[in-house]
């Protein structure tokens, strides 16, 4: 049987023996991680629920400082729209000729 | 404006949010760059199908000095590549000079209903935080149906 990747609040309620309203309160308080897939519809990643049951959900803490590095260039590999400008410029030049 | 300490908390909270979705990645560090800026980059694999590869969320931010112990975000790259569903969504704010010159915008978005074959190279977008990017990516994660790229406004 394939394991479900996401659970509904009703699934969680059934497994924990609590009401769906209580599950929603847990989501709203941040006690249980969930994703809002559409207006008012939550899904709980199965992995999050496993961590919740095991008591292994992480609490945010300050990230460590790293070492000094060369400044990265973000989105490397993305073609910048300079080529588009050049192409437009060439087209305008051709039209003017 | 954000202090270095607040930035460490910001990164720690982003990381905890992803870890609590079951994502796997190494503990990210807030790095100092040779330019005097600070920033981070992480790539988190999400649980679920790993065929052909797991879904990935990439987050990167660069923060420029803005006075004593203060920084302001100067560039960002938030990417969601969902290999199992063959699609990509991204929010970018990089190379601002290029984009300002070309389109009079500082940020843009990417949207690919099928990986590698976007209908448009760059879409209009609004500045977005890392938390909002995660929220939006998570709302798409594993959900069937189109991303809605056709509803976005193409820049090029």
């Amino acid at each position: 049987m394939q394991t479900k990747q996401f659970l509904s609040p009703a699934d969680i309620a059934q497994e924990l023996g609590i009401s769906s309203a209580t599950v929603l309160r847990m989501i709203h308080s941040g006690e249980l991680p969930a994703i809002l897939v559409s207006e008012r519809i939550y899904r709980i990643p199965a992995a999050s629920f496993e961590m919740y049951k095991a008591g292994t959900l992480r609490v945010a803490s300050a990230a460590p400082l790293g070492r000094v590095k060369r400044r990265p260039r973000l989105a490397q590999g993305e073609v910048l729209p300079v080529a588009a400008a050049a192409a437009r410029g060439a087209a305008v030049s051709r039209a003017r000729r | 404006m954000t202090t270095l300490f607040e930035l460490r908390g910001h990164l720690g909270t982003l990381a905890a949010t992803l870890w609590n979705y079951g994502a796997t990645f190494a503990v990210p560090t807030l790095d100092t760059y040779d330019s005097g800026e600070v920033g981070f980059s992480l790539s988190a694999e999400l649980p679920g199908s790993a065929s052909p590869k797991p879904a990935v969320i990439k987050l990167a931010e660069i923060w420029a000095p803005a006075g004593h112990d203060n920084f302001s975000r100067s560039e960002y790259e938030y990417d969601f590549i969902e290999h199992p569903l063959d699609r990509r969504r991204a929010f970018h704010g990089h190379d601002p000079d290029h984009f300002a010159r070309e389109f009079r915008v500082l940020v843009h978005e990417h949207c690919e209903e099928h990986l590698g074959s976007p209908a448009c190279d760059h879409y209009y977008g609004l500045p977005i935080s890392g938390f909002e990017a995660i929220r939006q990516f998570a709302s798409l994660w594993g959900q069937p149906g189109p991303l809605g790229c056709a509803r976005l406004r193409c820049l090029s």
Side-chain angles (χ1 to χ4, degrees):
Chain A
M1 195 178 91
Q2 195 176 3
T3 311
K4 281 167 90 173
Q5 189 179 356
F6 299 98
L7 303 167
S8 68
D11 294 331
I12 304 287
Q14 187 174 14
E15 176 138 354
L16 296 181
I18 58 179
S19 70
S20 291
T22 301
V23 175
L24 288 174
R25 275 195 290 274
M26 291 161 62
I27 291 170
H28 292 159
S29 70
E31 184 183 351
L32 181 65
I35 59 179
L36 191 62
V37 296
S38 64
E39 195 178 355
R40 299 172 65 189
I41 296 180
Y42 287 100
R43 289 291 177 265
I44 297 92
S48 301
F49 186 49
E50 290 304 314
M51 285 189 280
Y52 172 81
K53 287 191 294 184
T56 56
L57 285 171
R58 306 241 192 156
V59 177
S61 59
L65 288 172
R67 56 191 172 82
V68 177
K69 290 180 177 172
R70 190 172 168 192
R71 185 196 195 277
R73 182 174 174 272
L74 298 191
Q76 266 190 326
E78 180 177 323
V79 178
L80 294 177
V82 174
R88 277 203 304 274
V92 169
S93 298
R94 279 196 301 274
R96 282 179 181 160
R97 270 188 230 132
Chain B
M1 299 293 185
T2 307
T3 66
L4 196 64
F5 183 75
E6 288 168 339
L7 271 178
R8 292 177 61 197
H10 166 69
L11 175 54
T13 307
L14 288 173
T17 302
L18 291 171
W19 275 321
N20 287 339
Y21 285 150
T24 52
F25 54 102
V27 175
T29 55
L30 184 68
D31 298 318
T32 302
Y33 301 130
D34 54 7
S35 60
E37 297 162 301
V38 299
F40 63 85
S41 176
L42 69 85
S43 181
E45 288 189 358
L46 296 172
S49 172
S51 177
K53 288 191 275 187
V56 174
I57 288 179
K58 296 178 180 175
L59 306 177
E61 294 180 358
I62 295 177
W63 291 69
H68 176 67
D69 192 29
N70 265 308
F71 296 85
S72 66
R73 191 181 61 169
S74 56
E75 295 193 29
Y76 63 83
E77 178 188 359
Y78 308 130
D79 255 88
F80 175 51
I81 305 172
E82 194 168 24
H83 294 287
L85 293 182
D86 187 37
R87 60 192 191 177
R88 175 192 179 213
R89 192 76 174 89
F91 305 102
H92 285 184
H94 58 83
D95 298 287
D97 294 343
H98 281 278
F99 283 92
R101 195 165 52 237
E102 272 294 298
F103 301 113
R104 300 185 182 196
V105 299
L106 296 177
V107 304
H108 62 275
E109 299 183 5
H110 296 275
C111 191
E112 298 177 25
E113 300 284 1
H114 298 285
L115 281 174
S117 51
C120 168
D121 287 333
H122 302 87
Y123 291 96
Y124 276 98
L126 293 171
I128 187 173
S129 72
F131 296 107
E132 177 61 15
I134 291 175
R135 192 196 68 75
Q136 292 204 31
F137 294 156
S139 74
L140 300 171
W141 175 30
Q143 304 304 313
L147 294 173
C149 304
R151 288 195 304 270
L152 300 176
R153 188 175 161 204
C154 189
L155 276 172
S156 47

